[in-house]
Amino acid sequence: MATDRLGIHAEASEWCWIDKIPQPPTDVLQAAGNPRLRPAALPPLAMIGTVLGAPFMPLVMLLSLLSDAEEAIKRSLGTKEEKEQWRAKKKDAKRRDAAITQQGLNKVFDGNWHGSAGQFLLRWYSHSTHHQRLLLATQEGIVLAAPPQRVSAGREKHMQIVARLPATEATLVDPFSGEFETRMLLIRFRDGSWLRVDTEELRSDLHMYALRHPLTDV
């Protein structure tokens, strides 16, 4: 799909998004030309769908609670091995969360607005007001594609290339080197600054790509 639509060959790709962009200092914002820092609002069609779906939210919440209760019952009635596996999984989740906080990965970027990641982040929604990006890993580097404007459906149909990062400037990194199963990836720039993206899939093809191409010069 990426090859046909965008005319490029990707070794791995996945839809992703970024966390909320923090408010930059006034001088940084002005120097960048006061760029957009948020995605566009939902299109009218999507807003209508949200309104129409609102009455069903209590039912969805109830089903979620019932599912959680069922899972809790299964754990309590599970075998000794199953309970041990659940405890190990819970322990890994706590270790993962602690590592995220310790490494500052609970933020969208490293915090340096003058670094390459900070400057790229300032232009994120100037490239496209859509809330998601198709991130493609190619031999030449990283390509980001998206609809120019936010859409409620048909994102693949409307997408176009909105940014390119040559391999000499940035690379993809799994910050945990595969130790934890997460949606998190870093775009790490040559100056050491980084931008965090979250993928739709846990341990996506992009994670596998990053593990096959460990960080070297960048």
Side-chain angles (χ1 to χ4, degrees):
M1 178 272 294
T3 301
D4 294 340
R5 180 70 183 171
L6 303 173
I8 60 175
H9 173 70
E11 298 185 33
S13 64
E14 180 62 51
W15 284 95
C16 66
W17 64 89
I18 62 170
D19 202 354
K20 181 179 179 181
I21 300 177
Q23 184 66 29
T26 302
D27 59 331
V28 170
L29 195 62
Q30 291 177 347
N34 295 304
R36 186 185 192 101
L37 300 178
R38 301 287 182 270
L42 284 171
L45 181 62
M47 294 181 66
I48 292 173
T50 300
V51 172
L52 293 176
F56 298 98
M57 286 305 298
L59 177 59
V60 173
M61 294 174 64
L62 176 60
L63 292 175
S64 178
L65 289 173
L66 291 175
S67 178
D68 292 342
E70 182 182 9
E71 184 65 25
I73 293 173
K74 287 182 178 179
R75 287 199 299 266
S76 65
L77 299 178
T79 64
K80 181 179 179 181
E81 290 77 11
E82 289 173 337
K83 290 179 179 179
E84 289 178 353
Q85 289 175 358
W86 179 80
R87 293 191 192 98
K89 186 176 180 180
K90 187 176 181 179
K91 186 176 180 180
D92 282 346
K94 288 183 177 180
R95 289 176 51 239
R96 178 202 63 209
D97 293 344
I100 288 173
T101 301
Q102 183 179 11
Q103 297 181 39
L105 300 177
N106 51 346
K107 301 180 295 183
V108 69
F109 81 121
D110 61 283
N112 179 12
W113 288 108
H114 299 288
S116 297
Q119 291 296 303
F120 187 75
L121 185 63
L122 285 169
R123 303 190 300 273
W124 186 269
Y125 292 115
S126 298
H127 295 150
S128 165
T129 61
H130 195 61
H131 61 298
Q132 300 167 317
R133 299 286 184 274
L134 180 66
L135 195 157
L136 305 105
T138 73
Q139 290 185 345
E140 293 75 27
I142 297 169
V143 176
L144 294 168
Q149 306 296 325
R150 185 165 184 174
V151 296
S152 57
R155 58 187 182 180
E156 289 86 0
K157 178 181 177 181
H158 299 284
M159 72 177 178
Q160 62 185 38
I161 295 174
V162 296
R164 293 179 184 267
L165 293 169
T168 54
E169 295 182 13
T171 191
L172 284 176
V173 177
D174 181 338
F176 305 115
S177 301
E179 181 180 1
F180 302 118
E181 187 179 60
T182 71
R183 302 181 189 275
M184 186 183 301
L185 280 171
L186 302 183
I187 299 177
R188 188 177 293 278
F189 292 80
R190 176 168 290 280
D191 63 358
S193 62
W194 53 264
L195 168 65
R196 193 194 87 210
V197 298
D198 296 299
T199 58
E200 284 190 338
E201 297 290 333
L202 279 169
R203 191 163 289 178
S204 67
D205 287 344
L206 287 177
H207 289 83
M208 298 299 102
Y209 172 86
L211 293 178
R212 293 195 305 269
H213 299 78
L215 185 66
T216 52
D217 296 334
V218 177

